Amino acid sequence: MTAQKENNVAIECRGITKRFGSVVANDKINLTVRKGEILALLGENGSGKTTLMNMLSGIYHPDEGSILVDGREVTINSPTDATKLGIGMIHQHFKLVEVFSAMENIVLGTRETLQKPKEMKARIEELSARFGLEIDPQEKIYNMSVSEKQTVEILKVLYRGAKILILDEPTAVLTPQETEKLFEILRRMKSEGNAVIIITHKLNEVLSISDRVTILRKGRSIETVVTSESDVHSLTELMVGRPVELSIDRPPVENRSEILKVVNLSIRKPDGALALNDVSFTINRGEILGIAGVAGSGQKELCEGLVGLLSVEKGAILYDKENIVGKTPAEIIDLGISMSFIPEDRLGMGLVAGMGMVENMLLKSYRSKKGPFVKTQPAREQAQRLIKRLEIVTPGVDTPVRMMSGGNVQKVLLGREIESSPNVLITAYPVRGLDINSSYTVYELLNEQKKKNVAVIYVGEDLDVLLELCDRIMVLCHGKITGIVDADKVTKDEIGLMMTGEQLQSESETEGEN
Amino acid sequence: MSMIIKFIVASIASGTPILFGTLGEICHEKVGHLNLGVEGIMSIGAVAGFMVGYRTDSFVLALIAAFIGGALASLLYALLTVTFMANQNVTGLTLTIFGVGLANFIGYYALQHSENGTLKLPENITAQMRNVSIPGLSNIPVLGELLFSYTPFVYIGIITALLLGYYYKRTKTGLNVRAIGENPAAADAAGIKVTKCKYLNICLGGGICGIGGAYTIMIINKGVWISDCVGGLGWIAVALVIFATWSPVKAILGSFVFGALRQIRYYMPNSIGISTAIYDMLPYAITLLVLVVTSVRMVREKSQPAACGTNYFREDR
Ligand SMILES: Nc1ncnc2c1ncn2[C@@H]1O[C@H](COP(=O)(O)OP(=O)(O)O)[C@@H](O)[C@H]1O
Ligand SMILES: [Mg+2]
C-alpha cells in the first residue's frame, strides 16, 4: 500500500524556505502532488504561492529544503532542468515573445530545428486535437486575446512533454466560458495521469476543479484538505486564519438624484474601430452601477471616454447637466470624476512602479497645492492611513510599488482614488487577482463610498459579485447596451444571455420592437 | 555617365565603415543591449588593427587584431551590463569616451617612439588593402567597375551582412537570439541560455565594429595614424540601425545611402556653390529626419527589440 502510494507521488516539496532579503516568502513549506490529481494552491496575496511554484520551475532556487520528483531528490537550477524533469509552468504574467508566431513560441528553445515547419505544425495540431485546444500556429502573439495567449502557453509546456503542469492564476484574466474550457483541458491532462497544480483565488473554481487543496498562509503551508470534504467557508477560514463573513452588503439607495447622464455616446478605439456605439445611460448619486460584458465589449473605452482620455466621436456626457465632452482629463478630475482601471495584465496603469506609495500619492495630489514645491508630509500620512485601512502589506511607504504583491498594488491604486474624495468613482476590475479577503475589503470600500453619496461605476467580471453588490447592472455587447436591469430582479443566466448579445425579453417588449 | 559610376563606387566605399558599425550594433540590439559605445569600439578596433599591421606587416593579422580588439571592448561592455547590470546608456557612453581616448593614447605613445614622427603602415599591407582586381571580371565595362573594383573591406562587409541576415532569419540560434532581445524572461523560461547567448553576440558585434574601425585608419586615412580616426562614424552607425529597421541586409542599402551623402559634395558642380558646412551636416540631418519618420510609423516586427535597453535578472519582478 505504502509502496504504491510512493509511486503515485509526482512531486514533493520538503521544508522549502526562500528569502528575499529580509522577507521570508516561503517558510518550511511541505507539498505533495500525486499523479492524475489536480491540486489547488490557495492563499492570500503575498502568501508565497508564486514564489514556491517558481522554485519548482527553476526560476528561483530554494534556500533550504528539498524537492523530490518521482521519489528522487532533484536540484532544479534553471527552467531547462525543470523541463527535463517534465515540469511545465504557465506564469501569472505570460512569458511569450509578442512578435513571434504561436509556433515559434512553442518550439523556442527546444531541440527541433526550424527547418521542418510542416512537421512541427502537424505535431502542434495533433496536441491541440488531443487536448481540445484551438489555435492558429501561424498567428502572431500580439494579435491574440489573453485566452489565446494562454492556450499558446499551455501548448508550449505540452509540446515539451510536461507531466507536471503548474498554472499560476490562469483564470484571473479569463471569462467564465474560457475558464470552463481551460478546466476541460486540465481534466483531460489529469485523466492521462498527469499532475496539475493550479493557483486561483476563486473558491468556486477550487471546489469544481481540484481534488485536494493545500493552503498557504504568510509563507507557511497550513494544511492540505480533500476538496470534496470542504466548502467555501472552511477554505476561507483556513486561508485567512479566522472566520470571515462572506456576504456582500447592498445598502438601499436613498434618494435617487442623477449626477451623470450619457447620451448617444460613440467612441472609436485608437485603431479606428468603433468601440462604443450609441450608448445612453444615467447614474445616480449614492448608487453602484455595475457594467457587465465579455472582455473587450467597450468597457475600457467607456471608462477612458468618461474621464477624457479618449476623444468622443459623437454624443454627450452630462455631469450635473454640464456637457464635459472635450474637457481635459485634469479638468474632469477637478470636477470630481475619478477612475481606477486594473488592466488585464494588472501591471502599471496609474501607478509608477519605481516609486513608493508616498510619491504615487503625490502624483495625484500635488496639483491642488500652490507653489513649485511638494510637501511630502500629508502624502506620507495619507499613505500610512491607507496601509492601515486597507491592510496593505508593504515593508514601508517608500518601498517601490513594483516590489509589492499584485493585490497590494491594486489596493494602493484604488485607495488613492478614494482619498481624492470624488463624486463619481469609476473602477474597473478592482478585485482582479485579489484574494477573497482583500476582495471583500474592496466591496466594503465601494459601499462606503456609496453611503457617502458617491456615484460608483463598477466594471466587473464576476457575475455573482455584480448581482450582489450593484444596484443596477448595465450589460455591454460589442459596444452596445443590451440591457440595463435592476440587480435584484435579474438572474445570472439572463445577464449571461445579454452578454452574448440577446436583448432581455421583457425589455424588448416594452420597446415594442425586435 | 562615368561620373555617375564613380559617384556610386565612391558612395559604396564610403558607406562601408558605417556598415560594419551598424552590423555590430544590430548584433548588440538583437540580444537586447543598446550599445552607444560603437564609436569607442571602432576606435579600439582601429588602433589594434593598425598596431598589429604595423608590427607584423600582415593584412590578415591586422584584420584579426581589429576584430579581437573590438570584441574585447564589447566584452567589457557585456561584463558591465549583462553580469553587473550597469545602466546600458551610461556604460555605452563611457565606452565611447574610453575607447577613443585609449586609441589616441596608444597612437600618441607609438608616435613618440617612432623614428621619423609619423606612423604609416608598411607598403606590403597597403598593397593588399587596395582595390582588388579580379582578372576578367574587373575589366568588363561599367559592370566591372560597379561590382568588382573595391577594397576587400567592401566584400567582407556585404558578406557579413548577408550571413547575419540568414543567421537571424533562418537559424535556430538566430530565433533564440531574437527571443532574448524581445523578452529575455520568455527565452529563459523556454530553456535558452540567456547570459551565454548575450555574451557571444555582443562580442561578435564588437568584433564587427572593430573591423569598421580598421577601415577608417587603413582606407580613409590611407594607413597613416591620426588621432580620432573614426571621427563620428560610430554615431552615424548607431542611427543607421534604426534606418535599417534592425535588418542586416537593409543595413547594406542604408550604409550606401549614407556613403552617398558623405560623397555628394565632390560630385556637385562647383557652380551650385553650397557651403561645405552643409555637406558636413547632411548625414546628421538625414539621421534626424529618419529618426522622426521611423518613430512615427513602425510595424511591430520591424521595430526595436522590445527588451532593448533593459538588463535582465531572473529573480526580478
Ligand atoms: N523577486 C522578489 N523580490 C523581492 N520580494 C519578492 C519577490 N518575489 C516575491 N517577493 C515577496 O515574497 C512574498 C510572496 O510573494 P508571492 O510568492 O508573489 O505571493 P503570492 O503569489 O502568493 O501572491 C511577497 O511578500 C512578495 O513581496
Ligand atoms: Mg502570485
Side-chain angles (χ1 to χ4, degrees), chain A residues 129-417:
Chain A
R130 194 163 117 214
F131 291 99
L133 302 159
E134 289 157 28
I135 202 86
D136 171 9
Q138 314 285 9
E139 183 68 281
K140 289 274 160 69
I141 301 295
Y142 61 76
N143 283 329
M144 292 187 176
S145 70
V146 181
S147 93
E148 285 171 318
K149 288 182 187 174
Q150 192 173 65
T151 309
V152 177
E153 285 278 24
I154 294 176
L155 270 170
K156 227 165 97 179
V157 297
L158 292 180
Y159 189 86
R160 278 145 223 259
K163 296 252 171 305
I164 301 160
L165 186 69
I166 302 169
L167 300 105
D168 194 353
E169 298 194 30
T171 59
V173 294
L174 299 184
T175 63
Q177 293 82 354
E178 290 166 341
T179 302
E180 205 29 65
K181 250 192 189 158
L182 172 70
F183 284 0
E184 211 38 61
I185 297 163
L186 297 186
R187 289 194 188 103
R188 273 201 220 188
M189 294 214 54
K190 167 181 154 177
S191 68
E192 292 199 2
N194 299 313
V196 177
I197 307 177
I198 181 169
I199 300 177
T200 170
H201 289 302
K202 300 177 190 163
L203 293 176
N204 55 344
E205 293 177 357
V206 172
L207 291 172
S208 83
I209 188 81
S210 70
D211 299 304
R212 293 186 307 142
V213 190
T214 294
I215 291 118
L216 300 190
R217 194 197 306 153
K218 302 207 165 75
R220 299 217 175 105
S221 44
I222 298 296
E223 208 174 320
T224 300
V225 295
V226 176
T227 309
S228 54
E229 293 163 11
S230 46
D231 57 34
V232 171
H233 287 274
S234 65
L235 290 179
T236 316
E237 193 170 333
L238 280 171
M239 189 169 84
V240 182
R242 58 184 154 78
V244 179
E245 183 62 46
L246 286 183
S247 68
I248 309 173
D249 249 10
R250 179 162 49 206
V253 185
E254 318 265 271
N255 43 354
R256 294 198 174 207
S257 69
E258 183 183 300
I259 181 162
L260 198 70
K261 182 177 175 120
V262 173
V263 195
N264 302 111
L265 189 70
S266 293
I267 292 179
R268 275 187 201 283
K269 277 187 238 180
D271 68 11
L274 203 57
L276 275 188
N277 191 351
D278 211 15
V279 168
S280 303
F281 64 93
T282 58
I283 175 161
N284 302 310
R285 290 191 173 82
E287 172 187 61
I288 300 185
L289 174 70
I291 296 181
V294 180
S297 298
Q299 297 97 321
K300 183 167 184 229
E301 289 76 14
L302 178 62
C303 296
E304 292 186 347
L306 288 179
V307 295
L309 287 174
L310 273 182
S311 62
V312 167
E313 163 127 337
K314 172 168 101 41
I317 305 168
L318 302 173
Y319 174 78
D320 254 348
K321 310 234 159 52
E322 179 195 2
N323 192 352
I324 58 167
V325 167
K327 284 198 192 307
T328 65
E331 287 165 342
I332 293 176
I333 290 175
D334 288 342
L335 285 174
I337 301 179
S338 143
M339 175 181 80
S340 66
F341 189 100
I342 311 293
E344 278 169 347
D345 63 6
R346 291 166 52 193
L347 296 169
M349 203 84 176
L351 293 178
V352 181
M355 289 185 175
M357 272 182 78
V358 174
E359 282 169 318
N360 271 301
M361 294 286 154
L362 276 173
L363 284 182
K364 186 94 183 186
S365 61
Y366 81 95
R367 282 190 317 118
S368 58
K369 309 286 187 300
K370 285 203 185 70
F373 302 105
V374 290
K375 274 213 191 85
T376 55
Q377 198 49 38
R380 195 167 289 275
E381 281 160 14
Q382 212 179 28
Q384 252 130 16
R385 204 159 52 228
L386 279 185
I387 289 180
K388 241 202 227 125
R389 267 300 308 289
L390 307 183
E391 297 171 7
I392 295 171
V393 183
T394 169
V397 286
D398 292 312
T399 310
V401 292
R402 172 167 49 85
M403 302 298 260
M404 299 165 65
S405 80
N408 286 309
V409 174
Q410 267 157 268
K411 289 186 195 170
V412 174
L413 183 58
L414 191 64
R416 186 184 68 181
E417 299 311 314

Side-chain angles (χ1 to χ4, degrees), chain B residues 32-243:
Chain B
H33 282 248
L34 181 74
N35 190 348
L36 296 178
V38 173
E39 179 85 7
I41 300 171
M42 285 176 77
S43 299
I44 291 178
V47 75
F50 183 89
M51 290 307 159
V52 169
Y54 187 68
R55 294 250 173 261
T56 63
D57 202 7
S58 155
F59 181 56
V60 174
L61 282 184
L63 279 191
I64 292 174
F67 185 92
I68 292 177
L72 285 178
S74 271
L75 180 65
L76 181 65
Y77 171 85
L79 190 71
L80 289 171
T81 56
V82 179
T83 302
F84 296 117
M85 309 268 154
N87 180 299
Q88 295 182 11
N89 296 343
V90 176
T91 311
L93 287 172
T94 314
L95 186 59
T96 287
I97 299 168
F98 169 73
V100 173
L102 181 72
N104 289 349
F105 171 74
I106 295 175
Y108 182 75
Y109 181 84
L111 268 179
Q112 294 283 301
H113 291 76
S114 70
E115 290 127 35
N116 50 4
T118 59
L119 279 180
K120 191 170 182 336
L121 286 180
E123 182 54 32
N124 184 21
I125 288 201
T126 8
Q128 283 187 54
M129 68 196 196
R130 268 197 218 108
N131 297 357
V132 282
S133 80
I134 304 158
L137 291 180
S138 301
N139 302 331
I140 307 173
V142 184
L143 265 189
E145 193 172 0
L146 215 48
L147 295 179
F148 305 106
S149 67
Y150 300 101
T151 62
F153 284 100
V154 175
Y155 304 110
I156 297 175
I158 292 175
I159 289 169
T160 309
L162 295 177
L163 283 178
L164 279 179
Y166 185 82
Y167 170 58
Y168 291 128
K169 253 221 163 97
R170 299 258 173 265
T171 69
K172 212 172 88 182
T173 327
L175 186 76
N176 292 353
V177 166
R178 271 159 52 215
I180 292 172
E182 291 290 340
N183 185 347
D188 195 7
I192 297 167
K193 295 199 167 59
V194 176
T195 305
K196 183 179 147 200
C197 206
K198 279 188 170 187
Y199 264 94
L200 285 178
N201 281 278
I202 288 176
C203 288
L204 172 71
I208 296 174
C209 290
I211 294 188
Y215 182 101
T216 62
I217 198 69
M218 291 185 181
I219 308 292
I220 298 180
N221 295 312
K222 309 215 163 45
V224 180
W225 178 260
I226 61 159
S227 285
D228 295 329
C229 57
V230 180
L233 289 180
W235 292 109
I236 298 184
V238 173
L240 191 62
V241 173
I242 301 163
F243 187 88

Side-chain angles (χ1 to χ4, degrees), chain A residues 59 96 111 140 142 160, chain B residues 172 183 190 301 314 317:
Chain A
I59 304 278
L96 294 172
R111 291 204 174 283
K140 289 274 160 69
Y142 61 76
R160 278 145 223 259
Chain B
K172 212 172 88 182
N183 185 347
E301 286 85 358
R314 190 185 276 167
R317 51 193 263 147

Side-chain angles (χ1 to χ4, degrees), chain A residues 18-21 23-26 41-54 60 92 168-169 199 201 216 218-219 346 393-395 402-408 433 435, chain B residues 313-317:
Chain A
K18 175 76 186 173
R19 301 181 195 88
F20 293 108
V23 180
V24 186
N26 281 178
L41 199 55
L42 196 61
E44 299 190 88
N45 299 116
S47 58
K49 306 177 295 292
T50 301
T51 306
L52 180 63
M53 293 303 111
N54 276 338
Y60 300 156
Q92 206 165 340
D168 194 353
E169 298 194 30
I199 300 177
H201 289 302
L216 300 190
K218 302 207 165 75
R346 291 166 52 193
V393 183
T394 169
R402 172 167 49 85
M403 302 298 260
M404 299 165 65
S405 80
N408 286 309
D435 61 56
Chain B
F313 176 52
R314 190 185 276 167
E315 297 203 2
D316 248 359
R317 51 193 263 147

